[in-house]
Amino acid sequence: MRRESVYSRALTEEERNKRIEEIKYAIPKHADWLEEELKYSNELTLRSRLRELLSIHQKLISSLVDDIGGLVDTVVDTRSYLVHNDPESKGKAAEGKELFTLTRKLRILLEACLMAEIGFNMPAICAMFLENRRYADLIHRKNPKDELGRKPFD
C-alpha cells in the first residue's frame, strides 16, 4: 500500500522545507548534520500509521482485540526492542506465543489493507476472514457465537 494513499504528512512540503531552513540558520555550525537528521522529519511515526490503518479497519480489528491502543503500543514497543534493541521497550515487547499471535493479527491487517486497495469493501473483507479457517480461530476465540447463534460482524 502506498504511503501517500492513506497517510497525510505532518506538514506540507513547503512548510517542512521552511522549518528546516530556519533550524539550519539558527544552528549553522551543525547545518549539514541537522539536514541529514531531519531528512525524514515529515514522515508519520509507526504509531500514527498503525492508528490510521486500524481506524480504517476498525470493524475487523475490533473482532480480534479488545484494546486497539494496547495493540498499537505492543507493536511499537516490540519493533523498538527488536529493531533498535531499545532497553526501555524490552519488558513491553511481545515474546513467544504473544509475538506469534501479534504477528498473525498484523498479517490480517496487512491482508485487509491489500484487499481494500484492490477494491473489496469492508463487509466483503470481514466475510472472507470469517470464512477462512486460517483466521477464524482468532476471530471466534474473542467472539464466539452469541445466544442467537450470530457470528462476529453480524
Side-chain angles (χ1 to χ4, degrees), residues 124-137:
I125 293 170
C126 291
M128 284 186 260
F129 280 108
L130 190 59
E131 294 168 7
N132 187 317
R133 286 187 197 167
R134 185 184 319 161
Y135 305 111
D137 68 309

PDB file of all heavy atoms in Angstrom, residues 124-137:
ATOM      1  N   ALA A 124     -17.264  -7.357   2.692  1.00  0.00           N
ATOM      2  CA  ALA A 124     -16.678  -8.490   1.962  1.00  0.00           C
ATOM      3  C   ALA A 124     -15.369  -8.932   2.609  1.00  0.00           C
ATOM      4  O   ALA A 124     -15.099 -10.138   2.733  1.00  0.00           O
ATOM      5  CB  ALA A 124     -16.446  -8.115   0.497  1.00  0.00           C
ATOM      6  N   ILE A 125     -14.561  -7.973   3.033  1.00  0.00           N
ATOM      7  CA  ILE A 125     -13.294  -8.298   3.689  1.00  0.00           C
ATOM      8  C   ILE A 125     -13.557  -9.064   4.979  1.00  0.00           C
ATOM      9  O   ILE A 125     -12.952 -10.116   5.231  1.00  0.00           O
ATOM     10  CB  ILE A 125     -12.471  -7.021   3.956  1.00  0.00           C
ATOM     11  CG1 ILE A 125     -12.003  -6.402   2.634  1.00  0.00           C
ATOM     12  CG2 ILE A 125     -11.274  -7.323   4.855  1.00  0.00           C
ATOM     13  CD1 ILE A 125     -11.394  -5.021   2.770  1.00  0.00           C
ATOM     14  N   CYS A 126     -14.484  -8.573   5.789  1.00  0.00           N
ATOM     15  CA  CYS A 126     -14.813  -9.255   7.046  1.00  0.00           C
ATOM     16  C   CYS A 126     -15.325 -10.669   6.789  1.00  0.00           C
ATOM     17  O   CYS A 126     -14.936 -11.613   7.484  1.00  0.00           O
ATOM     18  CB  CYS A 126     -15.849  -8.444   7.834  1.00  0.00           C
ATOM     19  SG  CYS A 126     -15.219  -6.894   8.501  1.00  0.00           S
ATOM     20  N   ALA A 127     -16.170 -10.826   5.789  1.00  0.00           N
ATOM     21  CA  ALA A 127     -16.726 -12.146   5.474  1.00  0.00           C
ATOM     22  C   ALA A 127     -15.619 -13.113   5.052  1.00  0.00           C
ATOM     23  O   ALA A 127     -15.621 -14.279   5.461  1.00  0.00           O
ATOM     24  CB  ALA A 127     -17.771 -12.021   4.368  1.00  0.00           C
ATOM     25  N   MET A 128     -14.675 -12.645   4.257  1.00  0.00           N
ATOM     26  CA  MET A 128     -13.584 -13.520   3.812  1.00  0.00           C
ATOM     27  C   MET A 128     -12.741 -14.011   4.986  1.00  0.00           C
ATOM     28  O   MET A 128     -12.359 -15.172   5.031  1.00  0.00           O
ATOM     29  CB  MET A 128     -12.721 -12.812   2.775  1.00  0.00           C
ATOM     30  CG  MET A 128     -13.388 -12.746   1.413  1.00  0.00           C
ATOM     31  SD  MET A 128     -12.295 -12.075   0.157  1.00  0.00           S
ATOM     32  CE  MET A 128     -12.885 -10.393   0.094  1.00  0.00           C
ATOM     33  N   PHE A 129     -12.462 -13.122   5.933  1.00  0.00           N
ATOM     34  CA  PHE A 129     -11.673 -13.540   7.088  1.00  0.00           C
ATOM     35  C   PHE A 129     -12.463 -14.490   7.977  1.00  0.00           C
ATOM     36  O   PHE A 129     -11.917 -15.451   8.504  1.00  0.00           O
ATOM     37  CB  PHE A 129     -11.190 -12.329   7.902  1.00  0.00           C
ATOM     38  CG  PHE A 129      -9.987 -11.684   7.301  1.00  0.00           C
ATOM     39  CD1 PHE A 129     -10.085 -10.453   6.671  1.00  0.00           C
ATOM     40  CD2 PHE A 129      -8.756 -12.305   7.333  1.00  0.00           C
ATOM     41  CE1 PHE A 129      -8.982  -9.858   6.102  1.00  0.00           C
ATOM     42  CE2 PHE A 129      -7.640 -11.722   6.772  1.00  0.00           C
ATOM     43  CZ  PHE A 129      -7.755 -10.494   6.146  1.00  0.00           C
ATOM     44  N   LEU A 130     -13.725 -14.218   8.127  1.00  0.00           N
ATOM     45  CA  LEU A 130     -14.559 -15.058   8.980  1.00  0.00           C
ATOM     46  C   LEU A 130     -14.700 -16.469   8.418  1.00  0.00           C
ATOM     47  O   LEU A 130     -14.748 -17.443   9.163  1.00  0.00           O
ATOM     48  CB  LEU A 130     -15.942 -14.421   9.142  1.00  0.00           C
ATOM     49  CG  LEU A 130     -16.853 -15.024  10.174  1.00  0.00           C
ATOM     50  CD1 LEU A 130     -16.206 -14.958  11.553  1.00  0.00           C
ATOM     51  CD2 LEU A 130     -18.184 -14.286  10.194  1.00  0.00           C
ATOM     52  N   GLU A 131     -14.724 -16.586   7.104  1.00  0.00           N
ATOM     53  CA  GLU A 131     -14.907 -17.876   6.458  1.00  0.00           C
ATOM     54  C   GLU A 131     -13.599 -18.642   6.241  1.00  0.00           C
ATOM     55  O   GLU A 131     -13.619 -19.809   5.868  1.00  0.00           O
ATOM     56  CB  GLU A 131     -15.619 -17.676   5.115  1.00  0.00           C
ATOM     57  CG  GLU A 131     -17.041 -17.169   5.300  1.00  0.00           C
ATOM     58  CD  GLU A 131     -17.669 -16.685   4.017  1.00  0.00           C
ATOM     59  OE1 GLU A 131     -17.058 -16.863   2.931  1.00  0.00           O
ATOM     60  OE2 GLU A 131     -18.767 -16.121   4.083  1.00  0.00           O
ATOM     61  N   ASN A 132     -12.483 -18.020   6.497  1.00  0.00           N
ATOM     62  CA  ASN A 132     -11.194 -18.645   6.273  1.00  0.00           C
ATOM     63  C   ASN A 132     -10.716 -19.298   7.574  1.00  0.00           C
ATOM     64  O   ASN A 132     -10.532 -18.630   8.581  1.00  0.00           O
ATOM     65  CB  ASN A 132     -10.188 -17.583   5.812  1.00  0.00           C
ATOM     66  CG  ASN A 132      -8.870 -18.179   5.392  1.00  0.00           C
ATOM     67  OD1 ASN A 132      -8.342 -19.067   6.049  1.00  0.00           O
ATOM     68  ND2 ASN A 132      -8.324 -17.669   4.307  1.00  0.00           N
ATOM     69  N   ARG A 133     -10.500 -20.584   7.544  1.00  0.00           N
ATOM     70  CA  ARG A 133     -10.087 -21.317   8.753  1.00  0.00           C
ATOM     71  C   ARG A 133      -8.792 -20.786   9.358  1.00  0.00           C
ATOM     72  O   ARG A 133      -8.588 -20.861  10.553  1.00  0.00           O
ATOM     73  CB  ARG A 133      -9.896 -22.799   8.436  1.00  0.00           C
ATOM     74  CG  ARG A 133     -11.163 -23.526   8.254  1.00  0.00           C
ATOM     75  CD  ARG A 133     -10.873 -24.993   8.112  1.00  0.00           C
ATOM     76  NE  ARG A 133     -12.042 -25.629   7.536  1.00  0.00           N
ATOM     77  CZ  ARG A 133     -12.045 -26.843   7.056  1.00  0.00           C
ATOM     78  NH1 ARG A 133     -10.922 -27.543   7.063  1.00  0.00           N
ATOM     79  NH2 ARG A 133     -13.132 -27.356   6.562  1.00  0.00           N
ATOM     80  N   ARG A 134      -7.928 -20.284   8.510  1.00  0.00           N
ATOM     81  CA  ARG A 134      -6.647 -19.782   8.992  1.00  0.00           C
ATOM     82  C   ARG A 134      -6.833 -18.634   9.989  1.00  0.00           C
ATOM     83  O   ARG A 134      -6.031 -18.444  10.887  1.00  0.00           O
ATOM     84  CB  ARG A 134      -5.802 -19.305   7.819  1.00  0.00           C
ATOM     85  CG  ARG A 134      -4.413 -18.891   8.223  1.00  0.00           C
ATOM     86  CD  ARG A 134      -3.586 -18.325   7.095  1.00  0.00           C
ATOM     87  NE  ARG A 134      -3.730 -19.042   5.844  1.00  0.00           N
ATOM     88  CZ  ARG A 134      -3.405 -18.522   4.670  1.00  0.00           C
ATOM     89  NH1 ARG A 134      -2.942 -17.304   4.588  1.00  0.00           N
ATOM     90  NH2 ARG A 134      -3.550 -19.205   3.568  1.00  0.00           N
ATOM     91  N   TYR A 135      -7.911 -17.876   9.826  1.00  0.00           N
ATOM     92  CA  TYR A 135      -8.142 -16.704  10.672  1.00  0.00           C
ATOM     93  C   TYR A 135      -9.326 -16.851  11.609  1.00  0.00           C
ATOM     94  O   TYR A 135      -9.410 -16.170  12.620  1.00  0.00           O
ATOM     95  CB  TYR A 135      -8.357 -15.468   9.802  1.00  0.00           C
ATOM     96  CG  TYR A 135      -7.225 -15.248   8.852  1.00  0.00           C
ATOM     97  CD1 TYR A 135      -7.379 -15.422   7.489  1.00  0.00           C
ATOM     98  CD2 TYR A 135      -5.962 -14.895   9.337  1.00  0.00           C
ATOM     99  CE1 TYR A 135      -6.316 -15.228   6.622  1.00  0.00           C
ATOM    100  CE2 TYR A 135      -4.899 -14.712   8.477  1.00  0.00           C
ATOM    101  CZ  TYR A 135      -5.088 -14.878   7.121  1.00  0.00           C
ATOM    102  OH  TYR A 135      -4.042 -14.697   6.283  1.00  0.00           O
ATOM    103  N   ALA A 136     -10.247 -17.711  11.251  1.00  0.00           N
ATOM    104  CA  ALA A 136     -11.488 -17.817  12.023  1.00  0.00           C
ATOM    105  C   ALA A 136     -11.229 -18.144  13.492  1.00  0.00           C
ATOM    106  O   ALA A 136     -11.946 -17.667  14.363  1.00  0.00           O
ATOM    107  CB  ALA A 136     -12.410 -18.859  11.397  1.00  0.00           C
ATOM    108  N   ASP A 137     -10.192 -18.931  13.778  1.00  0.00           N
ATOM    109  CA  ASP A 137      -9.926 -19.273  15.179  1.00  0.00           C
ATOM    110  C   ASP A 137      -9.607 -18.036  16.009  1.00  0.00           C
ATOM    111  O   ASP A 137     -10.058 -17.914  17.146  1.00  0.00           O
ATOM    112  CB  ASP A 137      -8.811 -20.312  15.297  1.00  0.00           C
ATOM    113  CG  ASP A 137      -7.450 -19.774  14.889  1.00  0.00           C
ATOM    114  OD1 ASP A 137      -7.352 -19.187  13.789  1.00  0.00           O
ATOM    115  OD2 ASP A 137      -6.500 -19.937  15.663  1.00  0.00           O
TER     116      ASP A 137
END
